[in-house]
Amino acid sequence: MYTLTLSTVALATLAAAGPLSQRAGYTVGPFATCSASDLAQTSCRNTTAIQNDCCIETRGGQLLQTQFWDYSPAKGPSASWTIHGLWPDRCDSSYEGYCDPSREVTGDEITEIIQDVGGHNLLRYMRRYWKDSSTVDGNLWSHEYNKHATCFSSGRPECYAGAYGTNPKKDVFDYFYRTTELFKGLDTYQVLKAGGVVPSTEKTYTLDQIQAAIKKAYGVTATVGCTKPDNTLSEMWYHFHVKGGNVYNGEYLPINGGTSFCNATGIRYPPKEKGDDN
Ligand SMILES: *[C@@H]1O[C@H](CO)[C@@H](O)[C@H](O)[C@H]1NC(C)=O
Ligand SMILES: *[C@@H]1O[C@H](CO)[C@@H](O)[C@H](O)[C@H]1NC(C)=O
């Protein structure tokens, strides 16, 4: 009983906010050294000016891990949501995109960069869980990196330490690695299921039911997205501030989501017609 309680609590905390795991020998960085003063700060909650914006996110201090429920055509395993991206929003939830055209990459380049770092398991995971809604997954990967990752104040090439010179695209690897690691701790399918919200061709759900399930798992609400006009669940956005480090090595602190774009009642959650289960 004691062990069970302890591990449940530990898991819930780790899932959303834990330090970056380094499974499979992957690691982010190396990053340039940061001052103790900066490392004591949290994005959007800093109590003193940030000295080095490589150390604490100052441009988009609210981070969103966003997910899709693509049921038709079905994308990804039928018992899982899939990855949309990792986005930097400003503290007031406004945002910018495509901040550095000189760093933009294609899907093929992303694949090469990840392979060069030895990230075969990461690529395999991305091919299963980071799915473009139409055909070529690399199109979504490059869209997410080019639009969003180029807008972090931290994670820029000049934020890396010397070794960056031998791998000038390490931040590309770090973006995809960090995003998938966050996603692994945000299992929307299981969290909704635990709250009695399961895919159905007949039943509908209320926004309150969905938010109660999310809140029970993570202690905060999410931004819930539905397609119009049929009010069908389509997206889940998890919001965070980042403490004591940059977007790739800092600790993610869950915060409440913004205004959901679903009607409060009658939310549909159809099963994936035929998930990529095989
Ligand atoms: C937080 O950091 C930003 C960037 O350095 C700065 O503009 C702002 O004044 C800081 N906030 C506080 C309360 O010091
Ligand atoms: C959602 O709410 C709007 C505004 O009240 C309404 O016009 C629309 O019919 C609703 N859609 C569904 C699917 O319930």
Side-chain angles (χ1 to χ4, degrees):
M1 189 60 193
Y2 172 73
T3 311
L4 189 77
T5 309
L6 184 67
S7 63
T8 306
V9 170
L11 264 179
T13 312
L14 270 177
L20 182 62
S21 80
Q22 299 192 347
R23 69 186 74 141
Y26 299 155
T27 182
V28 297
F31 298 106
T33 308
C34 294
S35 70
S37 156
D38 278 353
L39 293 179
Q41 302 297 320
T42 299
S43 66
C44 295
R45 304 183 208 174
N46 55 302
T47 51
T48 176
I50 304 298
Q51 296 160 356
N52 181 348
D53 62 5
C54 287
C55 298
I56 296 288
E57 181 58 42
T58 59
R59 189 168 182 170
Q62 184 184 174
L63 281 297
L64 277 66
Q65 202 286 298
T66 56
Q67 304 184 4
F68 286 126
W69 179 252
D70 280 337
Y71 73 99
S72 178
K75 294 290 171 182
S78 39
S80 179
W81 287 52
T82 54
I83 301 173
H84 187 167
L86 178 64
W87 304 345
D89 275 18
R90 297 193 188 97
C91 307
D92 68 2
S93 294
S94 62
Y95 66 94
E96 49 188 339
Y98 302 105
C99 297
D100 187 353
S102 75
R103 285 163 61 202
E104 293 191 0
V105 283
T106 65
D108 287 345
E109 285 168 340
I110 291 167
T111 301
E112 275 171 38
I113 292 161
I114 293 175
Q115 275 168 347
D116 284 351
V117 182
H120 303 287
N121 291 340
L122 172 58
L123 270 179
R124 200 172 304 129
Y125 190 88
M126 286 165 63
R127 287 181 181 129
R128 188 160 165 76
Y129 290 101
W130 202 330
K131 308 298 290 178
D132 189 81
S133 60
S134 52
T135 48
V136 183
D137 296 334
N139 291 349
L140 175 61
W141 304 347
S142 61
H143 172 80
E144 292 304 303
Y145 178 86
N146 297 342
K147 181 172 180 184
H148 302 290
T150 58
C151 294
F152 296 130
S153 76
S154 60
R156 287 172 294 131
E158 52 269 47
C159 297
Y160 282 73
Y164 193 89
T166 61
N167 186 355
K169 299 279 186 191
K170 183 58 171 37
D171 75 296
V172 174
F173 173 89
D174 288 355
Y175 178 73
F176 291 97
Y177 180 54
R178 189 63 181 109
T179 306
T180 55
E181 288 297 299
L182 263 180
F183 172 78
K184 288 175 187 174
L186 296 165
D187 189 339
T188 304
Y189 187 91
Q190 292 302 337
V191 161
L192 292 182
K193 189 178 172 192
V197 178
V198 291
S200 168
T201 50
E202 287 138 36
K203 274 188 86 169
T204 62
Y205 301 96
T206 66
L207 187 56
D208 283 349
Q209 265 177 296
I210 292 166
Q211 292 288 25
I214 301 288
K215 194 158 187 172
K216 184 159 184 228
Y218 302 122
V220 294
T221 58
T223 304
V224 187
C226 290
T227 51
K228 287 179 176 150
D230 56 353
N231 208 29
T232 300
L233 206 48
S234 62
E235 294 223 33
M236 197 66 73
W237 298 355
Y238 295 98
H239 299 237
F240 301 88
H241 290 153
V242 182
K243 180 183 177 185
N246 63 39
V247 294
Y248 299 137
N249 70 357
E251 180 187 358
Y252 276 60
L253 307 180
I255 59 170
N256 282 326
T259 307
S260 294
F261 33 106
C262 298
N263 285 9
T265 59
I267 296 174
R268 300 175 63 233
Y269 183 25
K272 291 191 183 181
E273 284 166 347
K274 187 177 178 303
D276 308 337
D277 286 322
N278 306 310

Short mmCIF file of all heavy atoms in Angstrom, two decimals, residues 147-194:
data_model
loop_
_atom_site.label_atom_id
_atom_site.label_comp_id
_atom_site.label_asym_id
_atom_site.label_seq_id
_atom_site.Cartn_x
_atom_site.Cartn_y
_atom_site.Cartn_z
N LYS A 147 8.49 26.57 -37.42
CA LYS A 147 7.56 27.58 -36.90
C LYS A 147 7.81 27.87 -35.42
O LYS A 147 7.78 29.02 -35.00
CB LYS A 147 6.11 27.13 -37.11
CG LYS A 147 5.09 28.15 -36.62
CD LYS A 147 3.67 27.78 -37.00
CE LYS A 147 2.69 28.84 -36.48
NZ LYS A 147 1.28 28.45 -36.75
N HIS A 148 8.04 26.83 -34.63
CA HIS A 148 8.05 27.01 -33.18
C HIS A 148 9.44 26.98 -32.54
O HIS A 148 9.77 27.83 -31.73
CB HIS A 148 7.15 25.96 -32.51
CG HIS A 148 5.74 26.02 -33.00
ND1 HIS A 148 4.89 27.05 -32.67
CD2 HIS A 148 5.02 25.19 -33.80
CE1 HIS A 148 3.71 26.85 -33.24
NE2 HIS A 148 3.76 25.74 -33.94
N ALA A 149 10.26 25.96 -32.90
CA ALA A 149 11.54 25.81 -32.19
C ALA A 149 12.47 26.99 -32.46
O ALA A 149 13.32 27.31 -31.62
CB ALA A 149 12.22 24.50 -32.58
N THR A 150 12.31 27.64 -33.62
CA THR A 150 13.17 28.79 -33.91
C THR A 150 12.78 30.01 -33.08
O THR A 150 13.44 31.04 -33.16
CB THR A 150 13.10 29.17 -35.41
OG1 THR A 150 11.74 29.46 -35.75
CG2 THR A 150 13.60 28.03 -36.30
N CYS A 151 11.71 29.91 -32.29
CA CYS A 151 11.27 31.05 -31.49
C CYS A 151 11.62 30.96 -30.00
O CYS A 151 11.27 31.85 -29.22
CB CYS A 151 9.76 31.24 -31.65
SG CYS A 151 9.28 31.72 -33.32
N PHE A 152 12.30 29.90 -29.60
CA PHE A 152 12.79 29.87 -28.21
C PHE A 152 13.94 30.87 -28.08
O PHE A 152 14.79 30.94 -28.98
CB PHE A 152 13.35 28.49 -27.85
CG PHE A 152 12.33 27.38 -27.87
CD1 PHE A 152 12.60 26.21 -28.56
CD2 PHE A 152 11.13 27.48 -27.20
CE1 PHE A 152 11.70 25.17 -28.58
CE2 PHE A 152 10.21 26.44 -27.21
CZ PHE A 152 10.50 25.28 -27.90
N SER A 153 13.98 31.62 -26.97
CA SER A 153 15.18 32.44 -26.74
C SER A 153 16.33 31.54 -26.34
O SER A 153 17.48 31.76 -26.71
CB SER A 153 14.92 33.50 -25.66
OG SER A 153 14.92 32.92 -24.36
N SER A 154 16.03 30.50 -25.59
CA SER A 154 17.04 29.51 -25.25
C SER A 154 17.08 28.48 -26.38
O SER A 154 16.23 28.50 -27.26
CB SER A 154 16.68 28.83 -23.92
OG SER A 154 15.43 28.18 -24.00
N GLY A 155 18.07 27.63 -26.38
CA GLY A 155 18.12 26.60 -27.42
C GLY A 155 18.67 27.09 -28.75
O GLY A 155 18.74 26.33 -29.70
N ARG A 156 19.02 28.38 -28.84
CA ARG A 156 19.62 28.88 -30.09
C ARG A 156 21.04 28.32 -30.21
O ARG A 156 21.66 27.97 -29.20
CB ARG A 156 19.68 30.41 -30.07
CG ARG A 156 18.34 31.09 -30.26
CD ARG A 156 18.45 32.60 -30.04
NE ARG A 156 18.77 32.89 -28.64
CZ ARG A 156 19.73 33.70 -28.24
NH1 ARG A 156 20.49 34.32 -29.12
NH2 ARG A 156 19.94 33.91 -26.95
N PRO A 157 21.60 28.27 -31.40
CA PRO A 157 22.95 27.75 -31.60
C PRO A 157 23.96 28.35 -30.63
O PRO A 157 24.78 27.64 -30.05
CB PRO A 157 23.26 28.13 -33.04
CG PRO A 157 21.93 28.14 -33.72
CD PRO A 157 20.95 28.62 -32.69
N GLU A 158 23.87 29.66 -30.41
CA GLU A 158 24.88 30.30 -29.55
C GLU A 158 24.69 29.97 -28.07
O GLU A 158 25.50 30.36 -27.24
CB GLU A 158 24.90 31.82 -29.77
CG GLU A 158 23.56 32.50 -29.67
CD GLU A 158 22.83 32.60 -31.02
OE1 GLU A 158 22.77 31.57 -31.76
OE2 GLU A 158 22.30 33.68 -31.32
N CYS A 159 23.63 29.24 -27.74
CA CYS A 159 23.41 28.83 -26.34
C CYS A 159 24.17 27.54 -26.02
O CYS A 159 24.20 27.12 -24.87
CB CYS A 159 21.93 28.63 -26.07
SG CYS A 159 20.94 30.13 -26.27
N TYR A 160 24.71 26.92 -27.05
CA TYR A 160 25.42 25.66 -26.84
C TYR A 160 26.89 25.91 -26.54
O TYR A 160 27.47 26.93 -26.93
CB TYR A 160 25.28 24.77 -28.08
CG TYR A 160 23.91 24.11 -28.13
CD1 TYR A 160 22.78 24.84 -28.45
CD2 TYR A 160 23.75 22.76 -27.83
CE1 TYR A 160 21.53 24.25 -28.48
CE2 TYR A 160 22.51 22.15 -27.86
CZ TYR A 160 21.39 22.90 -28.19
OH TYR A 160 20.16 22.32 -28.21
N ALA A 161 27.51 24.94 -25.87
CA ALA A 161 28.93 25.05 -25.54
C ALA A 161 29.76 24.60 -26.74
O ALA A 161 29.21 24.21 -27.77
CB ALA A 161 29.23 24.19 -24.32
N GLY A 162 31.06 24.59 -26.57
CA GLY A 162 31.99 24.35 -27.66
C GLY A 162 31.64 23.22 -28.60
O GLY A 162 31.75 23.35 -29.81
N ALA A 163 31.18 22.12 -28.06
CA ALA A 163 30.93 20.94 -28.88
C ALA A 163 29.89 21.21 -29.97
O ALA A 163 29.80 20.48 -30.94
CB ALA A 163 30.46 19.78 -28.01
N TYR A 164 29.13 22.30 -29.79
CA TYR A 164 28.15 22.63 -30.81
C TYR A 164 28.81 22.81 -32.17
O TYR A 164 28.24 22.47 -33.21
CB TYR A 164 27.41 23.91 -30.43
CG TYR A 164 26.18 24.15 -31.27
CD1 TYR A 164 24.96 23.64 -30.87
CD2 TYR A 164 26.25 24.87 -32.45
CE1 TYR A 164 23.83 23.84 -31.64
CE2 TYR A 164 25.13 25.07 -33.23
CZ TYR A 164 23.92 24.56 -32.81
OH TYR A 164 22.81 24.74 -33.56
N GLY A 165 30.03 23.30 -32.15
CA GLY A 165 30.74 23.56 -33.40
C GLY A 165 30.88 22.31 -34.25
O GLY A 165 30.91 22.39 -35.48
N THR A 166 30.95 21.13 -33.63
CA THR A 166 31.08 19.91 -34.41
C THR A 166 29.71 19.36 -34.80
O THR A 166 29.62 18.43 -35.58
CB THR A 166 31.83 18.83 -33.59
OG1 THR A 166 31.05 18.55 -32.42
CG2 THR A 166 33.21 19.31 -33.20
N ASN A 167 28.66 19.91 -34.26
CA ASN A 167 27.33 19.46 -34.63
C ASN A 167 26.39 20.65 -34.59
O ASN A 167 25.63 20.83 -33.64
CB ASN A 167 26.84 18.36 -33.68
CG ASN A 167 25.52 17.78 -34.15
OD1 ASN A 167 24.93 18.26 -35.12
ND2 ASN A 167 25.03 16.77 -33.45
N PRO A 168 26.45 21.48 -35.61
CA PRO A 168 25.73 22.76 -35.57
C PRO A 168 24.21 22.63 -35.57
O PRO A 168 23.51 23.63 -35.55
CB PRO A 168 26.23 23.48 -36.82
CG PRO A 168 26.73 22.42 -37.72
CD PRO A 168 27.22 21.31 -36.84
N LYS A 169 23.70 21.42 -35.58
CA LYS A 169 22.24 21.26 -35.56
C LYS A 169 21.79 20.48 -34.34
O LYS A 169 20.74 19.86 -34.34
CB LYS A 169 21.76 20.52 -36.82
CG LYS A 169 22.08 21.24 -38.12
CD LYS A 169 21.07 22.32 -38.40
CE LYS A 169 21.33 22.91 -39.78
NZ LYS A 169 20.56 24.12 -40.01
N LYS A 170 22.60 20.48 -33.27
CA LYS A 170 22.23 19.68 -32.11
C LYS A 170 20.87 20.10 -31.56
O LYS A 170 20.12 19.27 -31.04
CB LYS A 170 23.31 19.80 -31.03
CG LYS A 170 23.07 18.96 -29.78
CD LYS A 170 22.93 17.48 -30.10
CE LYS A 170 22.92 16.56 -28.89
NZ LYS A 170 22.25 17.02 -27.71
N ASP A 171 20.52 21.37 -31.69
CA ASP A 171 19.23 21.80 -31.14
C ASP A 171 18.06 21.14 -31.87
O ASP A 171 16.98 21.02 -31.31
CB ASP A 171 19.10 23.33 -31.19
CG ASP A 171 18.83 23.84 -32.59
OD1 ASP A 171 19.71 23.67 -33.47
OD2 ASP A 171 17.74 24.39 -32.83
N VAL A 172 18.27 20.71 -33.11
CA VAL A 172 17.20 20.00 -33.82
C VAL A 172 16.92 18.68 -33.11
O VAL A 172 15.78 18.34 -32.79
CB VAL A 172 17.57 19.77 -35.31
CG1 VAL A 172 16.53 18.90 -35.99
CG2 VAL A 172 17.74 21.10 -36.02
N PHE A 173 17.99 17.94 -32.83
CA PHE A 173 17.83 16.70 -32.06
C PHE A 173 17.17 17.00 -30.72
O PHE A 173 16.21 16.32 -30.32
CB PHE A 173 19.20 16.04 -31.83
CG PHE A 173 19.13 14.87 -30.91
CD1 PHE A 173 18.89 13.59 -31.40
CD2 PHE A 173 19.26 15.03 -29.53
CE1 PHE A 173 18.81 12.50 -30.55
CE2 PHE A 173 19.16 13.95 -28.68
CZ PHE A 173 18.94 12.68 -29.18
N ASP A 174 17.67 18.01 -30.03
CA ASP A 174 17.16 18.31 -28.68
C ASP A 174 15.67 18.65 -28.71
O ASP A 174 14.93 18.28 -27.80
CB ASP A 174 17.96 19.45 -28.04
CG ASP A 174 19.37 19.01 -27.65
OD1 ASP A 174 19.68 17.80 -27.78
OD2 ASP A 174 20.15 19.88 -27.21
N TYR A 175 15.22 19.35 -29.76
CA TYR A 175 13.80 19.69 -29.86
C TYR A 175 12.94 18.42 -29.95
O TYR A 175 11.95 18.27 -29.22
CB TYR A 175 13.54 20.58 -31.09
CG TYR A 175 12.08 20.93 -31.27
CD1 TYR A 175 11.45 21.84 -30.42
CD2 TYR A 175 11.32 20.33 -32.26
CE1 TYR A 175 10.11 22.15 -30.57
CE2 TYR A 175 9.96 20.64 -32.42
CZ TYR A 175 9.37 21.54 -31.56
OH TYR A 175 8.02 21.84 -31.70
N PHE A 176 13.34 17.51 -30.81
CA PHE A 176 12.51 16.31 -31.00
C PHE A 176 12.62 15.36 -29.81
O PHE A 176 11.64 14.72 -29.41
CB PHE A 176 12.85 15.64 -32.34
CG PHE A 176 12.40 16.50 -33.48
CD1 PHE A 176 13.27 17.36 -34.13
CD2 PHE A 176 11.06 16.51 -33.85
CE1 PHE A 176 12.82 18.21 -35.14
CE2 PHE A 176 10.60 17.36 -34.85
CZ PHE A 176 11.49 18.21 -35.50
N TYR A 177 13.80 15.31 -29.23
CA TYR A 177 13.98 14.46 -28.05
C TYR A 177 13.16 14.98 -26.86
O TYR A 177 12.41 14.24 -26.23
CB TYR A 177 15.46 14.39 -27.69
CG TYR A 177 15.75 13.54 -26.49
CD1 TYR A 177 15.31 12.22 -26.43
CD2 TYR A 177 16.45 14.07 -25.40
CE1 TYR A 177 15.56 11.43 -25.31
CE2 TYR A 177 16.71 13.27 -24.28
CZ TYR A 177 16.26 11.97 -24.24
OH TYR A 177 16.50 11.20 -23.14
N ARG A 178 13.28 16.28 -26.58
CA ARG A 178 12.58 16.85 -25.43
C ARG A 178 11.08 16.72 -25.59
O ARG A 178 10.35 16.42 -24.64
CB ARG A 178 12.98 18.32 -25.24
CG ARG A 178 12.45 18.90 -23.93
CD ARG A 178 13.07 18.14 -22.79
NE ARG A 178 12.64 18.56 -21.47
CZ ARG A 178 11.85 17.83 -20.67
NH1 ARG A 178 11.32 16.70 -21.10
NH2 ARG A 178 11.58 18.23 -19.45
N THR A 179 10.60 16.97 -26.80
CA THR A 179 9.16 16.91 -27.05
C THR A 179 8.62 15.50 -26.85
O THR A 179 7.58 15.30 -26.22
CB THR A 179 8.83 17.42 -28.46
OG1 THR A 179 9.41 18.72 -28.63
CG2 THR A 179 7.34 17.50 -28.69
N THR A 180 9.33 14.50 -27.37
CA THR A 180 8.84 13.13 -27.21
C THR A 180 8.91 12.70 -25.75
O THR A 180 8.02 12.00 -25.26
CB THR A 180 9.62 12.13 -28.08
OG1 THR A 180 11.00 12.24 -27.79
CG2 THR A 180 9.39 12.37 -29.56
N GLU A 181 9.96 13.14 -25.03
CA GLU A 181 10.05 12.77 -23.61
C GLU A 181 8.89 13.38 -22.81
O GLU A 181 8.33 12.73 -21.94
CB GLU A 181 11.39 13.21 -23.02
CG GLU A 181 12.58 12.39 -23.50
CD GLU A 181 12.48 10.93 -23.10
OE1 GLU A 181 12.45 10.65 -21.90
OE2 GLU A 181 12.42 10.06 -24.00
N LEU A 182 8.54 14.62 -23.12
CA LEU A 182 7.40 15.25 -22.45
C LEU A 182 6.11 14.49 -22.76
O LEU A 182 5.31 14.21 -21.87
CB LEU A 182 7.22 16.68 -22.95
CG LEU A 182 7.80 17.84 -22.18
CD1 LEU A 182 7.47 19.13 -22.92
CD2 LEU A 182 7.22 17.90 -20.77
N PHE A 183 5.94 14.17 -24.03
CA PHE A 183 4.73 13.47 -24.48
C PHE A 183 4.56 12.14 -23.75
O PHE A 183 3.45 11.76 -23.39
CB PHE A 183 4.83 13.26 -26.00
CG PHE A 183 3.75 12.38 -26.58
CD1 PHE A 183 2.47 12.88 -26.80
CD2 PHE A 183 4.02 11.07 -26.91
CE1 PHE A 183 1.48 12.06 -27.34
CE2 PHE A 183 3.03 10.25 -27.45
CZ PHE A 183 1.76 10.75 -27.66
N LYS A 184 5.67 11.43 -23.53
CA LYS A 184 5.58 10.13 -22.86
C LYS A 184 4.99 10.26 -21.46
O LYS A 184 4.38 9.33 -20.94
CB LYS A 184 6.98 9.49 -22.75
CG LYS A 184 7.51 9.00 -24.08
CD LYS A 184 8.94 8.49 -23.94
CE LYS A 184 9.53 8.15 -25.30
NZ LYS A 184 10.98 7.79 -25.19
N GLY A 185 5.15 11.42 -20.85
CA GLY A 185 4.59 11.63 -19.51
C GLY A 185 3.20 12.24 -19.53
O GLY A 185 2.65 12.56 -18.48
N LEU A 186 2.63 12.43 -20.72
CA LEU A 186 1.31 13.07 -20.84
C LEU A 186 0.41 12.17 -21.68
O LEU A 186 0.12 12.45 -22.83
CB LEU A 186 1.47 14.45 -21.51
CG LEU A 186 2.29 15.47 -20.71
CD1 LEU A 186 2.71 16.64 -21.60
CD2 LEU A 186 1.51 15.97 -19.50
N ASP A 187 0.00 11.05 -21.06
CA ASP A 187 -0.75 10.03 -21.81
C ASP A 187 -2.24 10.35 -21.77
O ASP A 187 -2.99 9.84 -20.93
CB ASP A 187 -0.45 8.66 -21.19
CG ASP A 187 -1.00 7.51 -22.03
OD1 ASP A 187 -1.92 7.77 -22.84
OD2 ASP A 187 -0.52 6.38 -21.86
N THR A 188 -2.65 11.19 -22.69
CA THR A 188 -4.04 11.67 -22.70
C THR A 188 -5.05 10.53 -22.78
O THR A 188 -6.07 10.55 -22.10
CB THR A 188 -4.24 12.63 -23.90
OG1 THR A 188 -3.28 13.69 -23.79
CG2 THR A 188 -5.64 13.21 -23.91
N TYR A 189 -4.74 9.54 -23.60
CA TYR A 189 -5.69 8.43 -23.76
C TYR A 189 -5.97 7.76 -22.41
O TYR A 189 -7.13 7.56 -22.03
CB TYR A 189 -5.16 7.41 -24.77
CG TYR A 189 -6.16 6.33 -25.09
CD1 TYR A 189 -7.05 6.48 -26.15
CD2 TYR A 189 -6.26 5.17 -24.31
CE1 TYR A 189 -8.01 5.51 -26.43
CE2 TYR A 189 -7.21 4.20 -24.58
CZ TYR A 189 -8.08 4.37 -25.65
OH TYR A 189 -9.01 3.41 -25.91
N GLN A 190 -4.91 7.41 -21.68
CA GLN A 190 -5.07 6.72 -20.40
C GLN A 190 -5.68 7.63 -19.34
O GLN A 190 -6.49 7.18 -18.52
CB GLN A 190 -3.73 6.17 -19.91
CG GLN A 190 -3.17 5.04 -20.77
CD GLN A 190 -4.11 3.84 -20.89
OE1 GLN A 190 -4.97 3.61 -20.04
NE2 GLN A 190 -3.95 3.09 -21.97
N VAL A 191 -5.31 8.89 -19.37
CA VAL A 191 -5.83 9.83 -18.36
C VAL A 191 -7.33 10.04 -18.55
O VAL A 191 -8.11 10.04 -17.60
CB VAL A 191 -5.05 11.17 -18.46
CG1 VAL A 191 -5.81 12.31 -17.80
CG2 VAL A 191 -3.66 11.02 -17.85
N LEU A 192 -7.76 10.19 -19.80
CA LEU A 192 -9.20 10.33 -20.06
C LEU A 192 -9.93 9.05 -19.70
O LEU A 192 -11.01 9.08 -19.10
CB LEU A 192 -9.44 10.69 -21.54
CG LEU A 192 -8.96 12.07 -22.00
CD1 LEU A 192 -9.33 12.30 -23.47
CD2 LEU A 192 -9.54 13.19 -21.14
N LYS A 193 -9.33 7.92 -20.06
CA LYS A 193 -9.94 6.63 -19.77
C LYS A 193 -10.16 6.46 -18.26
O LYS A 193 -11.21 5.99 -17.82
CB LYS A 193 -9.05 5.51 -20.31
CG LYS A 193 -9.67 4.14 -20.26
CD LYS A 193 -8.72 3.12 -20.87
CE LYS A 193 -9.26 1.72 -20.64
NZ LYS A 193 -8.26 0.70 -20.95
N ALA A 194 -9.16 6.86 -17.48
CA ALA A 194 -9.28 6.76 -16.02
C ALA A 194 -10.43 7.61 -15.50
O ALA A 194 -11.00 7.33 -14.45
CB ALA A 194 -7.96 7.18 -15.37
#
